[in-house]
Amino acid sequence: MRAVSVSRDIAATPRQIFAVLRDPDRHAGLDGSGMLRGRPQGPSPLGPGDRFSMGMTQGGIAYRSVNVVVEYEKDRLLAWETWGEFRGRRLVGGQRWRYELTPVDGTDDADGSGGGATTRVTHTYDWSRARLPRLVVELPGFPRRMGPAMATTLERLASAVRA
């Protein structure tokens, strides 16, 4: 399988974390890769099947990615597939960004405040469905770079839900 995953336990409820992830206005601030730029275009908060775009930069080249929410389970799972489009045609892409939220056993959130809750967040970059994966994912070295970048994203996500 062509995928890289990173997990982190975050002191928050799945609901609190999901609220941050569903807000595309927060994605650039969470991004550990440094590739997301500017403001998104599209709906907020995100829901099943929603389409949004993000400003990106790679190797000094600015562009917009087009993303479609392809997996959605409230407070548990959010994934979108990203594409590079030109005049409405998908040229490259198909990679998925996925967040799975799992309550950690033994944590308590009896009052609903999130104070005692811990959630394991598993962040996955999956390029098994990508168009031209060797050219646009593997040769530029994304599989090697994504693990550390995704760990930074989860660190920023933990800070965002605390704020």
Side-chain angles (χ1 to χ4, degrees):
M1 181 173 185
R2 293 175 162 168
V4 174
S5 293
V6 175
S7 295
R8 178 184 176 125
D9 289 354
I10 295 178
T13 65
R15 174 188 278 164
Q16 291 168 315
I17 296 167
F18 199 74
V20 173
L21 294 172
R22 285 184 65 202
D23 182 356
D25 285 329
R26 309 224 27 208
H27 290 186
L30 298 175
D31 173 45
S33 74
M35 292 175 57
L36 272 66
R37 298 279 191 254
R39 307 216 20 106
Q41 294 175 353
S44 181
L46 295 172
D50 281 348
R51 180 180 165 102
F52 65 103
S53 69
M54 294 293 299
M56 307 284 292
T57 185
Q58 187 177 164
I61 299 169
Y63 62 98
R64 288 199 76 79
S65 67
V66 176
N67 308 282
V68 179
V69 175
V70 293
E71 295 179 74
Y72 184 98
E73 185 180 336
K74 187 176 191 268
D75 299 336
R76 296 285 181 252
L77 174 66
L78 181 64
W80 56 85
E81 199 166 80
T82 186
W83 290 92
E85 293 185 353
F86 182 71
R87 295 184 180 171
R89 293 192 59 203
R90 291 180 171 176
L91 302 178
V92 295
Q95 300 94 306
R96 285 191 180 191
W97 296 97
R98 188 173 207 259
Y99 293 87
E100 293 176 82
L101 312 178
T102 308
V104 175
D105 290 340
T107 61
D108 183 85
D109 186 33
D111 65 359
S113 68
T118 301
T119 302
R120 178 159 298 129
V121 180
T122 302
H123 183 21
T124 302
Y125 173 63
D126 178 352
W127 68 98
S128 62
R129 297 171 186 84
R131 185 172 292 163
L132 306 172
R134 183 89 178 114
L135 179 65
V136 300
V137 177
E138 294 164 1
L139 286 175
F142 286 111
R144 175 180 31 81
R145 297 189 329 231
M146 283 301 111
M150 291 170 11
T152 299
T153 297
L154 293 181
E155 185 178 310
R156 291 176 181 176
L157 177 61
S159 294
V161 295
R162 278 195 301 266

